[in-house]
Amino acid sequence: MRSHHRRAFLKGLGASAGASFLFTPFLDSIAQAAPGKKPKRLLLFCTMGTAPQIWKPASVSGETPTFSESTSPLADVKQHVVLVDGLPSGNPGNNHGAPDGLTGLGFSDPAKLISVDQFIADKLVAGGTKTLIPSLLLGAESTVNNGRSPYYRKDNLPTIASPKSAYTTLFGSAIPSNTTSDDLLRRRRSVLDNLKSEIATLKGNLGSEQKYKLDLHLDSIRQLEERLSSAPSGEGGACGAPATPAGDPSDPLAANLLHMDLIVGAFACDITRVAAIQWGSDQAMTVELPDIGLRGEEHGTMIHTGAPAHLDLIKLEKWLAQRFVDLITKLKAIPEADGSGTLFDNTLIAWCRDMGDSPNHNMNEMKFVLASGEGGYLKTSPGGRYLRSNERHERVLLSLCDAMGVTSFSGFGDPNLQAKSPLPGLAAS
């Protein structure tokens, strides 16, 4: 019975731990019009690892890629995209579930684990950026099959799995046109208070270890309330709540489509500057896509079967690439309140993975897809850009920090990395 209550508690509590904290970044002959500007926002798009042979470009001319079948949807936004490949982790032999992907650090010192999203969010708060939610972690099935998300603050952080819970956390009920910042603040406070009392009723059903974890969650909620009390609620050029989810889809991919809209809405209303969407866990993701003839579980039936062609994995990766493009399209459709372009023009999106070669369970060649808007942080090319490097993959994470104005990297990543600096050649000069 206790394990049943614990599962229900963790699922419902995505709204407190995953609120990331709610429990807590051309060809050489073509120059950019102006030096890349720093984005206001960071969005992480996180998935399990892939098979290198299906991800790599079919060919590369200079730095211009011909996209593979699995990444082919990215061709529609190629002028915004940089593919980064070949980057070894500091712990290349680590398996699924290792924290290296977003922390740059392995299991050797758990007390120092902090993922790049949490590190950046903390630095923004310390620098005076006030949003209602410093970082927002959404995603269905992020702990499926005892798996882990890639987000850490010493302990592994779950995501908000339920679109309904995420909506309530972000927007409360539907936002009338005359809603004030104080109204929004009261709504969010009431959500946290309700969660708090609900959690308290579960204590009698939890063992000592689970009670300890629950107390950590409650402490995080208290920290959030303190931040809420001092944070203003901003408004973007098209601030307003997305459509209220009618319910929580049983299909995790359908749930994540709703989470995508919630992240875009949160950006538009300046509720958060750092957000992430997680597709499955490091161990599994249920796939039910009959329109493209794809059913199964990503890890066991797509990554570790069907080699060397990996036909089902190609279908899934192509579907995910289209979702990455959809996020760009959604952000492009919303103007900034200050007239500085669109939300996308002021956002850096990073597609991150837990490992670069999932079939062989290693992190020898970590892979990223990065996208930024017109005149944005990245050095881009009209035909897209492919950058291969043997630098440590942590340097891409440091580039994300640099993009968000964080230039002191003390306390993040591997303390033994000799040169703590962003990846050369990634940012526009």
Side-chain angles (χ1 to χ4, degrees), residues 41 136 170-171 240 242 261-272:
R41 309 173 194 88
L136 175 69
L170 292 166
F171 302 105
D261 288 335
L262 294 174
I263 288 173
V264 172
F267 279 170
C269 294
D270 203 23
I271 293 170
T272 190

Side-chain angles (χ1 to χ4, degrees), residues 103-177:
T103 70
L105 193 61
F107 284 121
S108 59
D109 198 346
K112 293 181 179 179
L113 288 176
I114 186 166
S115 52
V116 68
D117 52 294
Q118 301 298 297
F119 183 76
I120 290 172
D122 286 352
K123 291 290 187 179
L124 292 180
V125 170
T129 298
K130 301 296 184 182
T131 56
L132 288 169
I133 298 177
S135 63
L136 175 69
L137 306 182
L138 303 184
E141 282 199 332
S142 69
T143 55
V144 67
N145 284 10
N146 296 315
R148 295 168 179 261
S149 79
Y151 318 110
Y152 283 83
R153 186 179 287 275
K154 296 184 180 177
D155 291 325
N156 186 235
L157 297 177
T159 62
I160 305 180
S162 158
K164 286 187 68 176
S165 293
Y167 180 92
T168 302
T169 300
L170 292 166
F171 302 105
S173 57
I175 302 177
S177 59

Side-chain angles (χ1 to χ4, degrees), residues 230-426:
S230 62
S233 175
E235 293 188 356
C239 177
T244 307
D248 288 333
S250 58
D251 175 7
L253 298 185
N256 269 12
L257 297 182
L258 297 176
H259 284 313
M260 285 171 50
D261 288 335
L262 294 174
I263 288 173
V264 172
F267 279 170
C269 294
D270 203 23
I271 293 170
T272 190
R273 298 286 180 90
V274 179
I277 183 165
Q278 176 67 24
W279 299 85
S281 74
D282 66 285
Q283 295 294 327
M285 182 172 73
T286 304
V287 177
E288 191 71 28
L289 296 170
D291 289 350
I292 59 172
L294 194 58
R295 288 184 173 90
E297 186 280 303
E298 180 184 14
H299 181 248
T301 63
M302 297 178 193
I303 286 177
H304 289 302
T305 59
H310 287 297
L311 297 180
D312 283 350
L313 186 59
I314 289 172
K315 287 183 181 180
L316 177 60
E317 289 276 305
K318 186 175 181 179
W319 187 88
L320 289 167
Q322 185 59 58
R323 305 293 76 78
F324 187 88
V325 173
D326 290 347
L327 275 172
I328 293 174
T329 302
K330 291 173 185 291
L331 292 168
K332 275 187 171 184
I334 300 177
E336 290 281 7
D338 61 5
S340 60
T342 67
L343 294 185
F344 179 63
D345 291 329
N346 293 288
T347 301
L348 177 62
I349 309 178
W351 184 345
C352 307
R353 301 174 184 274
D354 73 327
M355 59 178 57
D357 186 346
S358 279
N360 291 308
H361 282 191
N362 72 59
M363 302 182 180
N364 286 319
E365 295 188 8
M366 299 293 277
K367 295 162 174 56
F368 295 85
V369 180
L370 306 175
S372 66
E374 299 296 332
Y377 176 79
L378 298 173
K379 179 183 178 181
T380 56
S381 164
R385 188 164 179 247
Y386 176 74
L387 179 62
R388 186 173 178 84
S389 173
N390 61 3
E391 298 280 357
R392 284 269 293 275
H393 94 283
E394 183 182 327
R395 293 189 186 279
V396 176
L397 306 181
L398 297 179
S399 292
L400 303 183
C401 294
D402 177 63
M404 294 298 290
V406 177
T407 56
S408 174
F409 308 131
S410 177
F412 177 76
D414 184 354
N416 297 318
L417 183 62
Q418 291 185 346
K420 284 277 191 180
S421 60
L423 186 70
L426 191 56

